[in-house]
Amino acid sequence: MAGGKRSNGEGSVYQRKDGMWIGAAYVLTTTGHRKRVTVSATTESEAWKKLRKKIADSDAGIPVAAETWTLESYLKYWLSTVAATKRPRTVEGYGVVVRRHLVPNLGAKKLHRLSAQDVRTFITRLRNDCRCCAEKIDANRPKDARRCCAKGECCKTVLSDRTVQQIHAVLRNALAHAMREEVVPRNVARLVQVRSPRYDVNRGLDADQAKALLKAAENDRLKALYVLALYLGMRRGELLGLRWKDIDWDGWDEPCAEHTDDFCEDCAEQYAPTLQIRQTLQRVGTKLVFVPPKTDRSERVMPLPLLVAWALVDHWDLQDDEAEAAGDRWEESGLIFTTILGGPIDPTYLRSSWYPIRKRAGLDEVRFHDIRHSCVTLLLRLGVPPHIVRDIVGHSNIDVTMTIYASVSLEDKREALRKLATSLH
């Protein structure tokens, strides 16, 4: 370029006193304005090469970042921004991922310089590095409790595919937010693929196990909760957030005109009570909070089968007895499932009821959430159309119903192939 006149917008290159070559030009930014940017190199030709790349990207409509953020500073800003729009438990989960994984590994990176290669290297480390070593978990334990890395015997405990996928999703969502605010020109996390987790098949109970569960819960004070979980496939938070006013008894709670009894068994079948899910109970940090259902489809109205309705009536009577016994200590929360003093049940503490029941039923490895899987699987095996099953349990998408929760047993496959063989014989 020496000796010739540069055209407008071409930029310039000069040498500093320390010998470095600096290129400067005005380029497009993510705010839509133009600003002066610089590049540096050890040779004049390399400086021109870098500068022309900046100008070419600008001419092609690829802007540069208007502000200089580190990933750590932007993530903190992003968390404070999304907190007002996301569910509290979701924001809490985002915060854990940011503090435990993203900031320690990528936080010092300049946001506009974060590359797909940086993200790919980070994901690879997450997948392959032992957490005890990477996070010094074992080294921080008391000396007499150390059992692996701090003793030179690495346990090779790595993150699950599901956890890696969640970490990648948080970074991807944060960068997508940065793109919408025109802080960065592209979302480099979207350029990196992560391995999808493999979900277990045949989760949940078969019909005999479901019957054993109901029998084991027969004398438990939360028997009605297990009936609702199994027959309606409700989530734990939905069950614990359920209120008596969410049930429309359709006249069931009025005296029978013929027999002058409440909840007359002879007339029960003529009524059509329903249950509406309007809120869920979650633990967020140290507090129990009521939040809207998980998705739009989760906020649903369901008919109450007669058996389920009677279980709720029995539970109503039990709660009245507990309120009378508690006296002034009773907390009127309006909830259906409460502690013996009427307050909300911490979702974590539900296990004190669940563990003894599953042991009596011979279901030691079954999780509480597997009862929900059981409802889906049993309904599908009874021939209920998938779209109806989806609406009963409140899945956001029918793909969730068919791919994750529904599974085909070996007996189902055997029967299908037997029918095929018969038809072709």
Side-chain angles (χ1 to χ4, degrees):
M1 289 299 169
K5 186 176 180 180
R6 293 183 298 275
S7 60
N8 188 34
E10 190 175 325
S12 61
V13 169
Y14 59 92
Q15 190 175 27
R16 288 193 318 214
K17 290 181 180 181
D18 61 1
M20 289 293 293
W21 287 88
I22 306 299
Y26 282 89
V27 297
L28 182 70
T29 71
T30 50
T31 61
H33 300 88
R34 302 183 75 82
K35 78 170 185 177
R36 187 173 183 269
V37 297
T38 60
V39 296
S40 61
T42 55
T43 65
E44 183 180 9
S45 60
E46 184 66 22
W48 275 113
K49 183 178 178 180
K50 289 184 177 181
L51 187 61
R52 288 183 185 127
K53 177 68 167 60
K54 289 281 188 183
I55 296 172
D57 286 347
S58 179
D59 292 341
I62 303 175
V64 298
E67 287 191 60
T68 303
W69 297 73
T70 63
L71 183 61
E72 179 178 6
S73 60
Y74 187 79
L75 287 173
K76 289 180 179 178
Y77 159 75
W78 175 70
L79 280 175
S80 65
T81 302
V82 300
T85 59
K86 299 291 184 180
R87 292 161 62 91
R89 190 68 179 272
T90 301
V91 176
E92 184 182 41
Y94 284 170
V96 171
V97 169
V98 167
R99 291 190 302 273
R100 184 173 296 175
H101 300 288
L102 296 180
V103 168
N105 290 281
L106 297 172
K109 288 278 185 182
K110 294 292 185 182
L111 188 60
H112 66 284
R113 291 182 180 174
L114 185 68
S115 67
Q117 184 178 4
D118 293 329
V119 177
R120 190 176 295 109
T121 302
F122 165 61
I123 294 297
T124 301
R125 285 203 308 269
L126 286 180
R127 187 179 292 122
N128 297 323
D129 290 356
C130 169
R131 290 299 92 198
C132 288
C133 297
E135 300 176 22
K136 296 182 173 55
I137 294 174
D138 196 51
N140 293 330
R141 294 188 178 111
K143 288 187 177 181
D144 57 349
R146 293 175 182 174
R147 54 179 180 268
C148 53
C149 305
K151 297 173 64 176
E153 301 173 1
C154 183
C155 62
K156 303 297 182 184
T157 303
V158 297
L159 297 177
S160 66
D161 288 342
R162 175 60 178 153
T163 301
V164 173
Q165 184 187 55
Q166 289 173 331
I167 295 169
H168 177 259
V170 172
L171 178 60
R172 188 184 66 239
N173 290 343
L175 294 180
H177 193 265
M179 273 189 64
R180 286 193 294 271
E181 292 194 331
E182 299 183 329
V183 175
V184 293
R186 63 177 182 169
N187 185 344
V188 295
R190 289 183 63 87
L191 304 177
V192 179
Q193 293 183 337
V194 296
R195 188 163 55 211
S196 297
R198 295 184 62 184
Y199 293 97
D200 296 335
V201 296
N202 290 326
R203 293 185 298 180
L205 313 177
D206 58 30
D208 290 337
Q209 290 174 322
K211 292 175 182 177
L213 170 62
L214 293 176
K215 184 176 181 180
E218 185 66 37
N219 296 319
D220 192 273
R221 63 179 295 271
L222 296 178
K223 171 192 172 183
L225 182 144
Y226 297 102
V227 172
L228 282 170
L230 186 60
Y231 278 84
L232 302 182
M234 293 175 63
R235 300 176 177 91
R236 180 179 63 175
E238 293 172 345
L239 290 162
L240 298 180
L242 199 60
R243 299 163 296 188
W244 289 113
K245 70 178 184 179
D246 296 329
I247 297 179
D248 179 2
W249 292 103
D250 187 36
W252 233 32
D253 53 347
E254 298 173 1
C256 173
E258 182 178 351
H259 302 95
T260 65
D261 291 326
D262 289 344
F263 307 113
C264 173
E265 189 169 356
D266 295 334
C267 303
E269 293 189 8
Q270 68 178 300
Y271 300 110
T274 58
L275 176 153
Q276 183 171 2
I277 295 175
R278 297 171 176 166
Q279 66 175 19
T280 67
L281 179 65
Q282 290 184 349
R283 168 167 284 284
V284 180
T286 59
K287 297 181 179 179
L288 293 177
V289 296
F290 293 98
V291 297
K294 186 175 182 181
T295 64
D296 291 341
R297 283 192 179 275
S298 296
E299 191 168 342
R300 59 200 186 275
V301 178
M302 293 180 292
L304 287 180
L306 192 59
L307 182 149
V308 177
W310 277 113
L312 284 169
V313 170
D314 291 341
H315 184 76
W316 197 345
D317 291 339
L318 173 65
Q319 192 175 85
D320 282 345
D321 293 340
E322 290 180 339
E324 185 176 352
D328 294 340
R329 295 181 299 159
W330 180 258
E331 176 186 347
E332 188 51 63
S333 61
L335 296 171
I336 294 179
F337 302 111
T338 67
T339 65
I340 58 174
L341 295 179
I345 298 175
D346 189 320
T348 306
Y349 295 153
L350 184 60
R351 66 184 61 164
S352 62
S353 166
W354 167 238
Y355 285 174
I357 288 176
R358 75 176 186 179
K359 184 175 182 180
R360 290 197 297 271
L363 305 171
D364 289 342
E365 300 302 319
V366 177
R367 305 169 304 165
F368 182 85
H369 195 68
D370 289 335
I371 304 177
R372 175 172 165 83
H373 303 326
S374 307
C375 177
V376 176
T377 305
L378 291 171
L379 286 172
L380 288 170
R381 288 180 180 172
L382 289 171
V384 179
H387 69 281
I388 296 179
V389 177
R390 174 200 63 193
D391 290 345
I392 288 175
V393 298
H395 286 157
S396 60
N397 192 302
I398 200 167
D399 289 342
V400 177
T401 310
M402 297 306 297
T403 358
I404 299 179
Y405 289 86
S407 58
V408 180
S409 69
L410 186 61
E411 189 59 37
D412 294 331
K413 297 175 186 177
R414 185 178 290 112
E415 178 63 18
L417 293 175
R418 185 191 63 77
K419 290 179 180 179
L420 176 62
T422 301
S423 66
L424 297 179
H425 184 63

